[in-house]
Amino acid sequence: MQAIGSIYNHVIIIPILNVIVALYQVFLFVGLPGAFGFAIIALTALIRIVMQPLFHSQITTAAKMQELKPHLDKIQAKHKKDPQKLQAEQMRLYQEAGVNPASGCLLLILQLPVLIGVYNTISLFVRGSGSTKVMADINNMLYHPALQIKEIDPWFLWYNLGITPAHSNQWHYYLIPVITGALQFWQGRVSMPAPKPVETKELKKGEKKAEEPTGTGADFQKAMNMQMKFIFPVMIGYFSYNFPVGLALYWNIFSLFSILQYRKLNASKK
């Protein structure tokens, strides 16, 4: 376990720490107020740029899945009593459309350790405020002596990025989880546009309308959509209430990038 922790520190924690310190030093040099906050924003943009190919693939896959949903519903209704045939037809449709439904998991797997790394790094800076020992530990992890710092000013706009809203005792900190949850809800809305209906022929007299898809697959899809749209924003808002504001800043900037990218994709399809 120690070896895994050491690898994680060298691959995730230490590079993130060096990038934040370098950006912080640049923003301090130009006299930008709230340099630490802008360093987190710039770090978020850099991570987004590095991971852009994966995000583009995920967004493209999500858009294709929305387009395929009506066809999947028809397959579900047609083969609901034959699970093997249903699965085979679904896989055939995915292959024809060039879609891998599991591809989104890869992005989550890669994003989670980065998010944990950002949290650990921000926490380290927060503990380092006023602590000579912690600041010495931070400086020992820097790649070059020119990056060494004496202290970190955690203030950005009206917020101390190291404080959690839960322990702030100030009303404006409670806006953070509300904003975070709202942005997550917005991201869910733009990432799941209404699917295009499949054209159907007009019913002749005496014909019955095809049954709406039901069963485990359809119910699971509805449950997932409900979770992404409502439960996930509440959960993220709760996390941002209990974690430092700096982590919420990182998450919110990440959400804004996703919202803009989804809106751009949706606009190009109109």
Side-chain angles (χ1 to χ4, degrees):
M1 292 297 293
Q2 267 189 330
I4 295 175
S6 178
I7 293 172
Y8 180 76
N9 287 337
H10 282 86
V11 174
I12 302 292
I13 300 291
I14 294 178
I16 289 176
L17 184 145
N18 275 267
V19 171
I20 287 184
V21 171
L23 292 169
Y24 179 67
Q25 295 280 43
V26 169
F27 293 139
L28 277 182
F29 179 77
V30 299
L32 189 64
F36 189 46
F38 283 109
I40 293 176
I41 293 173
L43 171 71
T44 310
L46 288 173
I47 292 174
R48 186 78 193 199
I49 290 171
V50 170
M51 301 179 72
Q52 177 59 24
L54 290 174
F55 279 104
H56 179 74
S57 175
Q58 183 197 41
I59 290 174
T60 303
T61 299
K64 288 182 178 179
M65 289 294 291
Q66 285 296 324
E67 293 176 357
L68 291 177
K69 187 179 183 304
H71 302 283
L72 290 169
D73 288 345
K74 289 180 68 177
I75 293 174
Q76 172 76 29
K78 185 177 180 181
H79 302 291
K80 61 182 179 181
K81 294 182 180 180
D82 188 349
Q84 290 185 343
K85 182 67 174 177
L86 172 62
Q87 185 176 12
E89 288 297 309
Q90 287 175 334
M91 292 305 299
R92 181 185 61 79
L93 184 62
Y94 290 144
Q95 289 174 357
E96 289 178 355
V99 173
N100 180 6
S103 62
C105 297
L106 177 61
L107 182 60
L108 180 61
I109 292 170
L110 291 175
Q111 188 178 351
L112 188 58
V114 174
L115 182 63
I116 295 172
V118 172
Y119 168 71
N120 289 337
T121 305
I122 292 174
S123 299
L124 185 63
F125 282 119
V126 172
R127 292 199 307 271
S129 181
S131 172
T132 305
K133 181 181 182 304
V134 176
M135 292 306 300
D137 291 339
I138 291 174
N139 286 329
N140 286 334
M141 287 186 281
L142 298 178
Y143 294 142
H144 195 278
L147 293 175
Q148 292 190 357
I149 52 177
K150 294 181 179 179
E151 61 180 358
I152 288 284
D153 180 4
W155 286 93
F156 179 67
L157 300 178
W158 305 278
Y159 295 94
N160 184 327
L161 298 180
I163 292 179
T164 67
H167 297 95
S168 65
N169 296 322
Q170 298 183 51
W171 71 267
H172 62 285
Y173 279 84
Y174 301 141
L175 295 174
I176 298 298
V178 175
I179 293 172
T180 303
L183 285 174
Q184 192 62 49
F185 177 78
W186 189 8
Q187 180 180 337
R189 285 284 300 272
V190 299
S191 66
M192 292 186 291
K196 296 179 180 179
V198 176
E199 294 184 3
T200 56
K201 62 179 182 180
E202 291 185 10
L203 295 177
K204 296 180 180 179
K205 189 175 181 179
E207 283 187 331
K208 292 183 179 180
K209 185 178 179 182
E211 293 183 20
E212 292 293 329
T214 57
T216 305
D219 293 341
F220 178 76
Q221 183 66 36
K222 289 179 182 178
M224 285 296 294
N225 288 344
M226 180 68 69
Q227 180 175 333
M228 290 298 294
K229 197 171 182 180
F230 296 105
I231 299 177
F232 196 55
V234 173
M235 183 177 68
I236 294 299
Y238 177 76
F239 287 158
S240 67
Y241 177 74
N242 290 283
F243 286 135
V245 175
L247 191 64
L249 176 62
Y250 168 85
W251 189 269
N252 290 341
I253 297 301
F254 223 91
S255 294
L256 285 172
F257 273 111
S258 297
I259 290 167
L260 291 173
Q261 194 164 7
Y262 275 116
R263 286 178 65 87
K264 182 179 178 181
L265 178 66
N266 294 336
S268 66
K269 293 163 61 179
K270 292 181 180 179

